[in-house]
């Protein structure tokens, strides 16, 4: 993603031309392709570790408090993205992107390798598994916003939606690979096999980024970045503002982020509900968890690549997708069937992917270039802050009520969020709010239809 069309830009600001090439951007742009593959490896590793550990806790280690134990583990896995947002923003703004991503992947690989060695030598204490999750999540919390921030350097402006789709598709590929492998590897080789696989993938990602040459970008100079173009690509520099100031100047985006943070409270609970539903309602093994994770990932992948082609404003699309997701999450609450649950997860995943590609592309053009390190770090923090709450809440509830009821609670929780997002779209027409103009620009750029 490249320099955004800023709020308040003159009406004569030209729209970027779309690329005439038919080759995917990952083939036309080797640097972006390599970094994207590295992100697939790191996020698939993180997902495999999370899904594998949760299944291990539910099946063997947590006893009668399996819901709370798995929810607490997932909460720990998301704390770094929330707590370290200011630190992450500062690191990304001051250091070359390639260095930051390579160091984050290598650090995660070393943590996973040490954990795997311990697990092979002796049974892994539950506390150590939680500690390893915390460290791995810290590395991922640095890697992901750094990649998002680096897109304006890695790709041309005409490729912004395509690059966004590929980047967001990483989440679905991680769901397909990590979610599929996690429970299967746990069933076959237990904990040591899962952690060793994660270590290898992290280290491979670090090596891939280390040998990739980033395009040089001019530095303007007062955040500690090199004063001349850096072959390893330091970030574009400009006076940095506080995270509070960034969001204060973007009221439309702030309201959208709050809506999606609220949605995350109920949607991310699926990672707690899904394995509990499999064990307690379907009475199936890890292969069913793998199937459901794969369905969710496949749906997200499809949404990431098709969402940008849908007509209409992003807020309209997001509202419809939230409503459709609510209906999908309600299905396993009414129908106890593995195939129906898998189909519902695929639909929910498509909605997630579609929302992601439309709104991240919108943010890339609305947020000033100099603010992007801080913005994407705080975006990850704001959205991630709900995940520990959702994991602990639904995990604790899962020890008290049926997983089928939890599915219905999730569905009901999305309805008011969809209404709030629709209302946010109407607020974009208010005087002094640039949200509507920015949405019109992004819709025209992505080839969306008229409102």
């Amino acid at each position: 993603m490249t320099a955004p069309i800023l709020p308040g830009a003159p009406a004569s600001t030209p729209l970027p031309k779309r690329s005439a090439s038919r080759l995917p951007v990952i083939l036309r742009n080797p640097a972006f392709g390599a970094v994207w593959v590295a992100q697939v490896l790191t996020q698939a590793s993180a997902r495999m570790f999370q899904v594998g550990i949760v299944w291990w806790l539910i099946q063997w280690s947590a006893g009668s408090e399996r819901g709370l134990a798995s929810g607490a583990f997932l909460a720990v896995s998301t704390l770094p993205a929330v707590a370290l947002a200011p630190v992450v923003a500062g690191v990304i703004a001051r250091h070359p992107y390639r260095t930051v991503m390579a160091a984050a992947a290598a650090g995660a690989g070393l943590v996973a390798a040490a954990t795997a060695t311990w697990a092979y030598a002796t049974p892994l204490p539950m506390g150590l598994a939680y500690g390893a999750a915390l460290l791995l999540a810290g590395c991922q919390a640095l890697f992901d916003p750094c990649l998002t921030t680096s897109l304006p350097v890695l790709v041309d402006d005409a490729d912004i939606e395509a690059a966004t789709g590929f980047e967001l598709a990483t989440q679905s590929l991680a769901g397909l690979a990590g979610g599929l492998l996690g429970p299967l590897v746990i069933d076959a080789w237990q904990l040591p096999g899962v952690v060793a696989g994660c270590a290898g993938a992290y280290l491979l990602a670090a090596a891939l980024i280390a040998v990739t040459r980033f395009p040089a970008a001019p530095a303007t100079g007062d955040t500690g970045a090199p004063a001349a173009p850096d072959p390893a690509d330091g970030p574009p520099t400009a006076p940095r503002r506080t995270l509070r100031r960034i969001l204060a100047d973007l009221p439309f985006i702030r309201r959208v982020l709050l809506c999606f943070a609220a949605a995350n409270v109920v949607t991310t609970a699926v990672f707690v509900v899904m394995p509990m539903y499999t064990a307690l309602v379907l009475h199936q093994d890890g292969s069913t968890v793998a199937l459901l994770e794969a369905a969710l990932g496949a749906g997200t992948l499809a949404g990431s690549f098709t969402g940008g082609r849908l007509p209409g404003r992003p807020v309209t699309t997001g509202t419809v997708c939230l409503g459709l997701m609510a209906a999908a999450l309600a299905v396993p609450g009414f129908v106890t069937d593995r195939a129906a649950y898998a189909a519902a997860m695929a639909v929910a995943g498509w909605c997630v992917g579609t929302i992601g590609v439309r709104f991240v592309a919108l943010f890339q053009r609305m947020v000033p270039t100099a603010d992007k390190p801080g913005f994407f770090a705080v975006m990850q923090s704001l959205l991630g802050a709900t995940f520990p709450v959702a994991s602990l809440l639904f995990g604790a509830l899962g020890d008290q009520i049926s997983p089928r009821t939890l599915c219905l609670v999730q569905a009901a929780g999305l309805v008011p969020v969809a209404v709030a997002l629709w209302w946010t779209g109407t607020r974009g027409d208010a005087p002094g709010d640039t949200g509507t103009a920015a949405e019109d620009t992004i819709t025209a750029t992505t080839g969306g239809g008229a409102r």
Side-chain angles (χ1 to χ4, degrees), residues 43 75 93 126 281 306 444 451:
Q43 291 196 347
M126 191 178 299
V281 178
T306 61
R451 295 188 224 174

Side-chain angles (χ1 to χ4, degrees), residues 301-328:
L301 179 64
S304 297
F305 286 108
T306 61
R309 299 187 180 95
L310 294 178
R313 302 168 61 200
V315 164
T316 303
T317 301
T319 301
V320 173
C321 284
L322 286 177
L324 182 59
M325 196 187 310

